[in-house]
Amino acid sequence: MRFFVSMAMLLSMTLVLNGCGGGASDVPDVYPVSGLLKVNGQPVADVQVTFQPDSGPMSVGVTDEEGKFELLLNADTMGAVAGQHTVSFSKRGGPAGTDELIPPQFGTHSQLKETVSADGENEFEYEISAEKL
């Protein structure tokens, strides 16, 4: 159930950030992106993975119980635009569910870069550390 709530929140956020759109002609060319995230050597569910391109709309995914994710451009479109992206992670927790559990160097201040290719495999693996998880 928690996974479905996370996906619903992700889709809602993606719609707000990327707009509802006016049709297929408004959607840029995107390419499938997937990956695996481990935190402290273990897969962690419900981590938001964001790919923010140097220009164009961002794509977002959420890790499952195995740490796997796939990116969504919006509710109807899987993938991300080609080009260089800044990659960041976010997971909320704590008593009120508002504490950020991912350190800033992997989150709000991430310098992690990846290139999404129009003609290659876009599968990425990450291993980060976080004391709060």
Side-chain angles (χ1 to χ4, degrees), residues 62-83:
V62 175
T63 58
D64 64 15
E65 296 292 328
E66 297 176 342
K68 296 177 181 178
F69 65 88
E70 293 182 323
L71 295 183
L72 294 162
L73 179 69
N74 60 42
D76 299 319
T77 309
M78 298 288 294
V81 297

Side-chain angles (χ1 to χ4, degrees), residues 37-42 44 89 101-107 126-133:
L37 171 66
K38 290 185 180 180
V39 181
N40 304 325
Q42 300 296 318
V44 177
F89 308 99
L101 304 178
I102 302 293
Q105 70 265 28
F106 303 115
Y126 305 99
E127 179 135 356
I128 66 172
S129 58
E131 291 181 19
K132 296 181 183 180
L133 287 175

Side-chain angles (χ1 to χ4, degrees), residues 9 14 19 24 26 29 37-38 44 48-49 56 58 60 63 67 71 76 90 93 96-97 101-102 104 111-114:
M9 288 175 33
T14 304
D26 293 337
D29 290 336
L37 171 66
K38 290 185 180 180
V44 177
Q48 179 179 308
V49 180
M58 73 176 176
V60 181
T63 58
L71 295 183
D76 299 319
S90 177
L101 304 178
I102 302 293
Q111 297 298 309
L112 180 60
K113 302 287 186 183
E114 292 289 3

Side-chain angles (χ1 to χ4, degrees), residues 100-124:
E100 179 57 63
L101 304 178
I102 302 293
Q105 70 265 28
F106 303 115
T108 56
H109 296 101
S110 177
Q111 297 298 309
L112 180 60
K113 302 287 186 183
E114 292 289 3
T115 300
V116 173
S117 174
D119 57 349
E121 268 192 46
N122 295 304
E123 292 185 24
F124 304 100

